[in-house]
PDB file of all heavy atoms in Angstrom:
ATOM      1  N   GLY A  76       7.302   6.324 -11.592  1.00  0.00           N
ATOM      2  CA  GLY A  76       7.474   5.245 -12.537  1.00  0.00           C
ATOM      3  C   GLY A  76       6.375   5.178 -13.575  1.00  0.00           C
ATOM      4  O   GLY A  76       6.620   5.077 -14.769  1.00  0.00           O
ATOM      5  N   GLY A 259      -3.204  14.004  13.628  1.00  0.00           N
ATOM      6  CA  GLY A 259      -4.306  14.921  13.373  1.00  0.00           C
ATOM      7  C   GLY A 259      -5.581  14.209  12.997  1.00  0.00           C
ATOM      8  O   GLY A 259      -6.642  14.451  13.567  1.00  0.00           O
ATOM      9  N   VAL A 376      19.704   6.595  -4.169  1.00  0.00           N
ATOM     10  CA  VAL A 376      20.504   6.478  -5.382  1.00  0.00           C
ATOM     11  C   VAL A 376      21.045   7.867  -5.760  1.00  0.00           C
ATOM     12  O   VAL A 376      20.280   8.822  -5.829  1.00  0.00           O
ATOM     13  CB  VAL A 376      19.658   5.912  -6.532  1.00  0.00           C
ATOM     14  CG1 VAL A 376      20.453   5.865  -7.819  1.00  0.00           C
ATOM     15  CG2 VAL A 376      19.129   4.527  -6.168  1.00  0.00           C
ATOM     16  N   ARG A 399      16.147  14.784  -3.897  1.00  0.00           N
ATOM     17  CA  ARG A 399      14.905  15.232  -4.545  1.00  0.00           C
ATOM     18  C   ARG A 399      13.803  15.371  -3.500  1.00  0.00           C
ATOM     19  O   ARG A 399      13.749  14.576  -2.570  1.00  0.00           O
ATOM     20  CB  ARG A 399      14.450  14.224  -5.602  1.00  0.00           C
ATOM     21  CG  ARG A 399      15.499  13.864  -6.619  1.00  0.00           C
ATOM     22  CD  ARG A 399      15.777  15.019  -7.516  1.00  0.00           C
ATOM     23  NE  ARG A 399      16.592  14.656  -8.660  1.00  0.00           N
ATOM     24  CZ  ARG A 399      17.626  15.330  -9.103  1.00  0.00           C
ATOM     25  NH1 ARG A 399      18.009  16.416  -8.483  1.00  0.00           N
ATOM     26  NH2 ARG A 399      18.279  14.921 -10.169  1.00  0.00           N
TER      27      ARG A 399
END
Side-chain angles (χ1 to χ4, degrees):
Chain A
V376 177
R399 307 291 191 225

